[in-house]
Amino acid sequence: MKKAFFICLYLLLALAPAAQQKRPVYVVYIGNSITQGALIDAPEHNAPPAQASRYLSGQKDIDLRGFSNQGVSGQTTVDFLPAQQTRFPKVVAAAAPFAADSGAILLFSVMLGTNDSAIRGPNGAPVSPVQYYTNLKVLLDELFRLYPEAVFVLQRPVWYSPNTYNSAMYLKAGLERLVSYAPELERLEETYARLRPGRVFTGDTAAFDYFRTHYATDLVPEDGNAGTFYLHPNAAGAARLGEFWGRAIHRVIGQLP
């Protein structure tokens, strides 16, 4: 009996360090004004990427070593295409020092599509679902060429009110197009499951419905050409969106070998 006790104690002590080991992670967030933290005070601390990173830092199995917010207002998937040489070089510049830490996970959290869905205004809009898929695949393929071990989490774009119309026109047709992008994210995950298994995942899908029902408390009311519209998270909404993203990223990291 005594011998069995010491064997169990030895096993517990031997396994304890492994159980407590944290996975080193860097995150690059790619997106538009929602990712950037437009209309939020101190976005460097309160935008969704900062909130998601704060959530990850609080997880016992994560060692978050750094993150970069590459969200820029008005951007579409077209703006992030490597051939455009506008946003893509900045993403690479942000990721390069993270990739130099060879023992860490380099993860890209991508939420694009809001501006792609517009009827007119942003670069390339309106972007069809098929072109949306193609643009994201071109972006991911080039990032994979540079960072073969990278991991991608594709976050679903969030809801906006069907009367959204600021300098760009979105309206009901835009919202319907935005909804049509969700299956394309799933198709990307399926495609890369064959091409690069365990590297590309759909991330959050719950925030869309959350903001559809909580727009009055979590989105900023903005004056537009078709009345008061709701598009950008306020401080509370950014915190909530960051948690949605953080949970999705944490889930993905837990699936990695």
Side-chain angles (χ1 to χ4, degrees), residues 3-22:
K3 183 178 179 181
F5 169 79
F6 281 109
I7 290 174
C8 291
L9 182 61
Y10 171 80
L11 289 172
L12 286 171
L13 291 174
L15 292 172
Q20 295 172 3
Q21 185 177 9
K22 293 189 173 187

Side-chain angles (χ1 to χ4, degrees), residues 217-238:
T217 57
D218 287 53
L219 297 181
V220 177
E222 301 178 59
D223 293 331
N225 298 311
T228 301
F229 68 91
Y230 296 85
L231 170 65
H232 296 99
N234 58 22

Side-chain angles (χ1 to χ4, degrees), residues 59-75:
Q59 305 309 304
K60 294 181 179 180
D61 56 340
I62 300 291
D63 173 17
L64 185 68
R65 295 185 176 179
F67 76 93
S68 176
N69 184 349
Q70 291 298 308
V72 179
S73 181
Q75 304 300 279

Side-chain angles (χ1 to χ4, degrees), residues 65-242:
R65 295 185 176 179
F67 76 93
S68 176
N69 184 349
Q70 291 298 308
V72 179
S73 181
Q75 304 300 279
T76 64
T77 56
V78 175
D79 294 300
F80 280 93
L81 289 173
Q84 295 288 316
Q85 286 296 297
T86 50
R87 300 312 316 167
F88 186 79
K90 297 182 184 301
V91 171
V92 172
F98 296 165
D101 188 345
S102 59
I105 297 167
L106 172 60
L107 188 146
F108 293 89
S109 174
V110 183
M111 196 199 81
L112 289 167
T114 302
N115 295 313
D116 297 66
S117 72
I119 296 170
R120 67 169 183 262
N123 186 22
V127 175
S128 71
V130 171
Q131 193 61 50
Y132 177 74
Y133 168 95
T134 301
N135 290 351
L136 284 175
K137 188 173 184 301
V138 169
L139 172 61
L140 268 60
D141 283 348
E142 185 60 14
L143 287 172
F144 269 130
R145 188 185 69 79
L146 296 171
Y147 312 113
E149 302 303 314
V151 176
F152 292 84
V153 180
L154 307 178
Q155 318 280 14
R156 181 183 178 184
V158 298
W159 178 91
Y160 57 74
S161 62
N163 67 329
T164 298
Y165 185 180
N166 46 26
S167 58
M169 180 188 289
Y170 297 85
L171 303 178
K172 183 180 179 181
L175 180 59
E176 290 173 350
R177 191 162 24 251
L178 188 73
V179 171
S180 74
Y181 292 161
E184 301 306 319
L185 297 178
E186 295 174 1
R187 189 157 72 95
L188 277 166
E189 182 180 39
E190 293 169 359
T191 297
Y192 283 106
R194 299 189 302 271
L195 299 176
R196 293 181 177 271
R199 293 292 167 186
V200 177
F201 303 84
T202 53
D204 167 69
T205 59
F208 183 94
D209 286 332
Y210 175 83
F211 285 107
R212 180 168 58 183
T213 57
H214 292 78
Y215 67 89
T217 57
D218 287 53
L219 297 181
V220 177
E222 301 178 59
D223 293 331
N225 298 311
T228 301
F229 68 91
Y230 296 85
L231 170 65
H232 296 99
N234 58 22
R240 189 71 175 124
L241 183 57

Side-chain angles (χ1 to χ4, degrees), residues 235-246:
R240 189 71 175 124
L241 183 57
E243 183 179 349
F244 279 122
W245 290 357

